[in-house]
């Protein structure tokens, strides 16, 4: 929690749709503590939980985002049985149905530790970006979270919230001499 995963997901989607003709869908798959709808200025329902419960189809849960070619599926109402909903097979069906419509589908999940929701969602994804907060996330917790995913799925780690001051290595890029041996 509080790593900035929703912030990173929303911004990543906005960058993706800036590519000419690219369409992106952001799905708030955090059924325990949804918040992406606030980042995108959208309603919370209907959404993913209603779709997974069979109460609506995927098109009833989709919304237009704040930018052209950006679409959003909110989490919907808070679900008490998130693991059961995420593993009932309908998430995989949803992704198969919407995949031809979008160039990018970004799922924002609950934290990897302490619940299993993100691991369940990962099984339906092509790749994973893990978000950790600089100087906040304990390294042992980041290692435990990383161990939840097979190597082929983890595309990388986003280090969020780095200090805005100059880093020693950045001096090299700005023309200042750095005395270090490589």
């Amino acid at each position: 929690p509080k790593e900035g995963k929703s912030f990173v997901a929303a911004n990543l989607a906005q960058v993706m749709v800036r590519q000419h003709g690219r369409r992106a869908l952001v799905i708030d798959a955090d059924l325990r503590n949804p918040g992406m709808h606030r980042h995108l200025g959208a309603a919370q329902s209907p959404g993913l939980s209603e779709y997974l419960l069979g109460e609506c189809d995927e098109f009833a849960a989709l919304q237009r985002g704040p930018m052209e070619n950006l679409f959003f599926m909110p989490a919907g109402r808070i679900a008490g049985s998130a693991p059961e909903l995420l593993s009932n097979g309908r998430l995989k069906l949803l992704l198969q149905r919407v995949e031809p419509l979008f160039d990018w589908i970004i799922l924002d999940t609950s934290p990897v530790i302490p619940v299993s929701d993100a691991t369940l969602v990962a099984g339906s994804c092509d790749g994973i970006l893990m978000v950790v907060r600089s100087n906040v996330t304990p390294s042992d917790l980041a290692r435990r979270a990383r161990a939840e995913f097979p190597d082929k799925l983890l595309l990388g780690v986003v280090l969020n919230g780095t200090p805005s001051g100059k880093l020693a290595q950045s001096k090299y890029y700005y023309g200042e001499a750095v005395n270090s041996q490589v």
Side-chain angles (χ1 to χ4, degrees):
K2 307 296 182 199
E3 301 292 320
K5 59 187 181 46
S6 297
F7 173 80
V8 169
N11 281 289
L12 179 60
Q14 290 177 41
V15 167
M16 296 300 185
V17 298
R18 289 180 190 260
Q19 299 173 25
H20 181 70
R22 299 294 182 174
R23 295 167 51 99
L25 169 63
V26 177
I27 300 174
D28 189 347
D30 187 346
L31 301 181
R32 295 170 189 266
N33 187 21
M36 182 65 73
H37 62 283
R38 287 188 296 274
H39 284 286
L40 297 176
Q44 184 175 333
S45 286
L48 181 61
S49 62
E50 287 84 2
Y51 173 83
L52 296 175
L53 288 164
E55 296 175 2
C56 70
D57 68 11
E58 63 272 19
F59 298 108
L62 283 177
Q63 301 178 23
R64 287 198 171 273
M67 298 174 67
E68 185 177 346
N69 293 329
L70 178 58
F71 295 81
F72 173 57
M73 181 178 286
R77 70 177 178 269
I78 294 175
S81 57
E84 290 83 14
L85 283 178
L86 293 169
S87 62
N88 72 8
R90 288 188 54 89
L91 177 62
K92 201 171 277 251
L93 176 65
L94 169 68
L95 295 174
Q96 289 170 352
R97 292 178 62 111
V98 298
E99 184 178 19
L101 305 174
F102 298 98
D103 299 292
W104 297 95
I105 301 173
I106 299 167
L107 287 93
D108 180 35
T109 68
S110 59
V112 177
I113 308 288
V115 295
S116 64
D117 303 5
T119 307
L120 293 170
V121 171
S124 300
C125 296
D126 295 331
I128 297 162
L129 283 176
M130 205 167 83
V131 178
V132 296
R133 183 166 293 281
S134 178
N135 297 318
V136 173
T137 308
S139 58
D140 62 322
L141 192 63
R143 277 191 215 91
R144 277 184 39 217
R146 192 268 168 260
E148 293 290 318
F149 305 112
D151 287 336
K152 66 179 181 167
L153 283 181
L154 188 65
L155 302 175
V157 177
V158 175
L159 183 61
N160 195 26
T162 57
S164 60
K166 286 186 177 180
L167 300 173
Q169 295 120 341
S170 68
K171 292 180 181 178
Y172 173 80
Y173 295 105
Y174 295 106
E176 298 175 16
V178 175
N179 294 327
S180 64
Q181 294 179 352
V182 178

